[in-house]
Amino acid sequence: MLLNPVISKLAGKRVVLASASPRRQDILTNVGLRFEVVPSWFKETLDKSVFAAPYEYALETAKQKALEVARRMHMKHLKTPDIVIGADTIVTLEEAILEKPVDKQDAYNMLSRLSGKEHSVFTGVSIVLCNRQKDNQLEMDVFDFYEETKVKFADLSEDLLWEYVHSGEPMDKAGGYGIQSLGGMLVESVHGDFLNVVGFPLNHFCKKLAEIYYPPSKQTINRIKHDSIPYVETFENLSDVEKDCCVKREAPDVKKGSQEKCNYALRNKSSNVTVPDTAALQNGIPETNHLQLPANIIHLLDGFKASKTLFAACKLKVFDELKEKRDLKAEDISEKINASLRGTEKLLDACVALGLLEKTHQVYSNTEAANTFLVSDGEFSIHEYIMHTNDNLWPLFTNLELAVKEGTCQKQRVIEKHSHSLVQDTHLCNQDKKKSFMTAMHGMMKITAKDIATAFDLSEYSSACDLGGCTGSLAHDLVQIYTNMKVNVFDLPGVIENVCHFQPEHFDTSRITFTSGNFLEDQLPEADLYILSRVVHDLPDEKLDHLLQKISNACYPGKSALLLAEIVLDEEKREPRALLQSLSMSEGKQRSGSEYRSLLQNYGFTSVVFRKTGNLLDAVLAVKS
Ligand SMILES: Cc1cn([C@@H]2O[C@H](COP(=O)(O)OP(=O)(O)OP(=O)(O)O)[C@@H](O)[C@H]2O)c(=O)[nH]c1=O
């Protein structure tokens, strides 16, 4: 629990990760950091020859990525972040810098150069602290550092390298490999921080945060164990800490990163003093008795309130009102959503604290993420999915103790409890429910589909059948990406009769078709590639056995495959999203990659590979041999 206090120092601040890398997002999310993701538009084209050492290139690129985002966000509706984090990972071999491969041949070339040798992975990280001045100028303090990890590859055969390249994994990764996934098989040894190779040196980042937020005083500096992460207690009970931190700021050090001031207002600021928490001292609490409640427990105590705040704001259409009118005061919003002013103010301020809204001079506006995902009619809206979570999952989880005791799903109990209030005509109610369920799944799938469609190279499959494919979101992405592929979306008649409401205006009906049927009972349409999205985890063993047997029978050995979109649990089963979802006690279960592999091998799918996408769902591809 030494690290959490450092990370929790950022709670309540507007933290932005200037990176599109799903791995960086995962690493920081996993330690409880709350942040927005705003990928940088900075083009990674700095002239490498001007840098004395490769890590300087990574440091500079990381810095430029973060500065670009800080400046853009500041310019745009003055939504200045408090902290922007940028990173850049490179692989170096004999002074050459390898970034992401441009195509498969390039990936192959990189990997064959790395084969049998040791190389270095450098990640440069830049932490930009932003400060909006009274005259709206932006002042930024830049702290940066880098980390090096040495990785040795085994001797790799040409066949293996090509197979790896065809898996598609190398394409978005420096050096053309992902040590955290299939690429791990290429690696003989690692010296240094593993997460640094994955894309973010978490340990060094925490040390840097500690330096920034708890600069050591003269007296305490001796007490810090060499190379350990300074923790809160270490620096809190200091009488002269405020004075000291001004003079103790890290001197620029080219080798291990530096702190630098970027005054974009072209004005001089003498020193940017970070005031440490001196509350413990002021309250007279002796250092040894100062026990800190771990941040994860604090977050969990409040977690349900945060979820319900999001649900309520969506239900009351707060984000919709702000999308249309952009900037509104609490009084205007309370009138529009027909709610009390007192309640509205509290809800809006909570949304600001959760990073869902912005507030400037008593005026509220949507964040970019709210505009994209939370307004109800946006192209990538998950509004209805949030409503589905609120209306259907939330009640299930309020019965969690019972569900655990009984080991059963509480759906029936929840329905009975609410049935007396269902005064509407049952058919109408069912129709409405069906449509909102479809809208929920449509929104959820729309933001996930591209990652599923590109998790593997599926270009060899010319016909696909998405079993339970609902509104066809995945089908649309598949035909866009694979120009030779036709997709048949197969779902229950009640679903298919409503799919027309979800289709884009002009879509190629010769390549996407919809077929009514029940995949458990009816004959499956012919296809090279069968797809099951969010089906397998939900089916009890007998039904799953029946379905997989049917699919296996319909597959041609060596030609056909099965693609699953599911949350793939990590092997140690510590991935919270899947584990929390399984608490709803559906009749099925969540599985890890190796569990999917052994399940599918029972049905003749001998080659089973999986990809973590960093999105809501991961992908598993099983080829029948
Ligand atoms: C060696 C290695 C690298 N990576 C990924 O390679 C990308 C590097 O590229 P980048 O330019 O630093 O980042 P990006 O992905 O383009 O994102 P951005 O920060 O927006 O530039 C990052 O993704 C890393 O995780 C892995 O996932 N595993 C590995 O073993």
Side-chain angles (χ1 to χ4, degrees):
M1 280 302 107
L2 302 185
L3 307 178
N4 270 328
V6 185
I7 289 284
S8 68
K9 206 68 197 158
L10 301 185
K13 294 198 185 335
R14 185 166 190 199
V15 181
V16 171
L17 176 63
S19 174
S21 168
R23 277 75 56 181
R24 293 190 183 122
Q25 294 166 27
D26 281 351
I27 291 169
L28 289 171
T29 305
N30 287 344
V31 289
L33 186 67
R34 287 207 186 131
F35 55 91
E36 276 171 58
V37 175
V38 180
S40 181
W41 293 350
F42 177 74
K43 297 244 177 316
E44 297 176 37
T45 50
L46 293 174
D47 179 359
K48 298 187 180 74
S49 65
V50 304
F51 295 94
Y55 66 80
E56 288 181 11
Y57 168 80
L59 273 175
E60 187 60 27
T61 306
K63 186 169 94 183
Q64 293 305 331
K65 285 183 189 180
L67 290 176
E68 186 279 322
V69 168
R71 275 186 235 128
R72 177 154 44 99
M73 292 186 75
H74 174 72
M75 299 292 287
K76 221 172 167 186
H77 316 305
L78 299 176
K79 290 177 180 171
T80 314
D82 295 313
I83 296 166
V84 181
I85 304 160
D88 191 62
T89 302
I90 55 168
V91 164
T92 66
L93 180 74
E94 292 143 9
E95 295 305 303
I97 295 179
L98 309 180
E99 294 180 278
K100 287 168 286 188
V102 290
D103 55 26
K104 285 187 172 174
Q105 186 61 52
D106 194 25
Y108 174 82
N109 294 345
M110 283 184 186
L111 291 164
S112 56
R113 281 175 77 178
L114 298 174
S115 172
K117 294 193 195 126
E118 185 178 69
H119 63 267
S120 286
V121 180
F122 289 99
T123 299
V125 175
S126 185
I127 304 169
V128 176
L129 306 191
C130 305
N131 202 347
R132 192 166 81 211
Q133 303 295 292
K134 283 204 185 81
D135 56 2
N136 274 334
Q137 299 281 14
L138 175 64
E139 186 175 82
M140 296 183 273
D141 285 335
V142 181
F143 297 80
D144 57 16
F145 68 90
Y146 76 90
E147 186 69 35
E148 175 179 8
T149 306
K150 293 208 155 102
V151 178
K152 165 124 198 302
F153 268 27
D155 284 319
L156 306 165
S157 71
E158 194 173 328
D159 283 356
L160 185 131
L161 286 184
W162 274 117
E163 197 180 324
Y164 180 54
V165 168
H166 287 312
S167 75
E169 187 175 285
M171 298 319 295
D172 62 343
K173 305 193 175 68
Y177 71 95
I179 197 167
Q180 69 280 18
S181 308
L182 288 178
M185 291 191 285
L186 317 178
V187 171
E188 214 167 70
S189 65
V190 178
H191 291 287
D193 182 355
F194 180 84
L195 289 182
N196 180 51
V197 185
V198 180
F200 200 80
L202 183 63
N203 182 274
H204 200 156
F205 175 69
C206 291
K207 284 177 187 157
K208 199 75 191 175
L209 283 186
E211 277 173 37
I212 298 170
Y213 288 102
Y214 307 105
S217 75
K218 266 188 228 126
Q219 295 97 315
T220 49
I221 205 147
N222 302 333
R223 294 180 13 227
I224 307 161
K225 201 174 133 254
H226 175 68
D227 213 30
S228 74
I229 294 170
Y231 54 103
V232 180
E233 292 92 328
T234 315
F235 302 116
E236 264 185 352
N237 294 347
L238 307 172
S239 53
D240 58 349
V241 76
E242 200 168 324
K243 177 175 54 137
D244 248 11
C245 68
C246 305
V247 293
K248 277 279 167 196
R249 297 187 84 179
E250 189 187 53
D253 165 3
V254 183
K255 191 160 178 292
K256 274 282 178 188
S258 60
Q259 177 215 330
E260 169 184 328
K261 195 173 287 294
C262 291
N263 192 332
Y264 283 85
L266 294 176
R267 283 173 297 106
N268 243 338
K269 188 178 163 205
S270 56
S271 186
N272 191 0
V273 179
T274 313
V275 183
D277 280 350
T278 49
L281 174 71
Q282 282 157 10
N283 293 337
I285 303 167
E287 189 180 358
T288 44
N289 289 349
H290 186 175
L291 266 186
Q292 183 120 13
L293 187 60
N296 64 334
I297 297 182
I298 297 173
H299 287 155
L300 290 175
L301 275 173
D302 289 339
F304 78 98
K305 298 174 201 161
S307 306
K308 198 65 190 173
T309 302
L310 168 69
F311 301 165
C314 278
K315 193 145 208 153
L316 293 168
K317 302 262 173 91
V318 167
F319 305 107
D320 285 21
E321 294 301 343
L322 283 167
K323 183 205 168 195
E324 272 146 34
K325 289 274 173 343
R326 299 184 81 89
D327 297 333
L328 291 175
K329 292 195 160 171
E331 301 89 82
D332 309 320
I333 301 171
S334 79
E335 213 169 276
K336 287 185 182 297
I337 65 172
N338 204 9
S340 70
L341 177 58
R342 185 165 180 265
T344 307
E345 270 172 351
K346 286 182 189 294
L347 179 68
L348 294 174
D349 285 339
C351 286
V352 173
L354 293 174
L356 303 171
L357 292 178
E358 282 296 317
K359 184 181 183 183
T360 323
H361 307 306
Q362 305 309 317
V363 170
Y364 296 88
S365 58
N366 278 346
T367 56
E368 271 177 28
N371 269 334
T372 311
F373 300 111
L374 304 181
V375 292
S376 60
D377 60 355
E379 191 188 348
F380 296 102
S381 169
I382 58 158
H383 181 275
E384 206 54 41
Y385 184 66
I386 293 171
M387 291 300 86
H388 164 74
T389 308
N390 182 58
D391 298 343
N392 302 312
L393 296 187
W394 179 267
L396 286 188
F397 276 80
T398 59
N399 280 320
L400 186 56
E401 303 85 1
L402 266 179
V404 170
K405 277 194 175 170
E406 295 172 1
T408 56
C409 181
Q410 299 296 301
K411 226 181 242 168
Q412 203 47 42
R413 192 170 266 132
V414 169
I415 292 170
E416 276 162 21
K417 200 167 152 195
H418 291 92
S419 59
H420 61 273
S421 59
L422 292 179
V423 285
Q424 284 160 295
D425 169 65
T426 326
H427 174 67
L428 267 184
C429 176
N430 284 345
Q431 268 300 103
D432 278 358
K433 277 197 162 164
K434 200 187 297 162
K435 272 209 188 132
S436 50
F437 180 74
M438 286 178 72
T439 314
M441 294 306 122
H442 183 72
M444 195 264 199
M445 213 46 211
K446 256 199 109 148
I447 54 167
T448 321
K450 193 156 269 132
D451 282 332
I452 301 296
T454 55
F456 305 99
D457 179 1
L458 303 173
S459 53
E460 66 186 276
Y461 305 105
S462 56
S463 63
C465 178
D466 191 353
L467 300 166
C470 200
T471 61
S473 308
L474 180 56
H476 282 288
D477 273 329
L478 284 169
V479 298
Q480 243 177 36
I481 294 161
Y482 304 105
T483 45
N484 290 328
M485 191 186 279
K486 290 182 176 178
V487 187
N488 187 351
V489 181
F490 189 81
D491 214 318
L492 294 168
V495 172
I496 298 295
E497 74 194 20
N498 284 308
V499 293
C500 52
H501 305 300
F502 298 92
Q503 304 313 308
E505 239 176 75
H506 305 289
F507 78 97
D508 186 352
T509 47
S510 69
R511 295 183 57 214
I512 298 183
T513 46
F514 290 89
T515 307
S516 298
N518 181 331
F519 55 59
L520 288 171
E521 291 164 12
D522 300 326
Q523 194 181 348
L524 303 181
E526 278 199 14
D528 298 338
L529 178 70
Y530 288 97
I531 302 169
L532 290 170
S533 293
R534 302 181 85 234
V535 171
V536 173
H537 78 271
D538 228 10
L539 289 181
D541 288 348
E542 329 76 75
K543 283 190 183 163
L544 183 58
D545 172 58
H546 173 67
L547 177 62
L548 291 178
Q549 196 57 62
K550 263 177 99 167
I551 295 174
S552 173
N553 293 343
C555 282
Y556 294 102
K559 183 169 179 269
S560 314
L562 170 62
L563 176 69
L564 307 182
E566 292 286 352
I567 304 173
V568 175
L569 263 171
D570 58 298
E571 292 305 321
E572 288 177 348
K573 304 214 170 169
R574 300 181 68 136
E575 208 275 318
R577 278 193 58 242
L579 297 172
L580 292 174
Q581 172 150 325
S582 73
L583 281 175
S584 64
M585 309 276 174
S586 81
E587 291 173 287
K589 63 174 178 192
Q590 304 289 340
R591 292 175 173 81
S592 67
S594 61
E595 284 174 330
Y596 275 115
R597 184 169 293 134
S598 47
L599 172 76
L600 295 166
Q601 280 173 345
N602 292 334
Y603 299 88
F605 295 97
T606 44
S607 154
V608 182
V609 276
F610 61 90
R611 291 270 179 289
K612 298 290 280 177
T613 65
N615 206 323
L616 293 176
L617 297 174
D618 305 308
V620 180
L621 184 68
V623 182
K624 182 146 184 215
S625 61

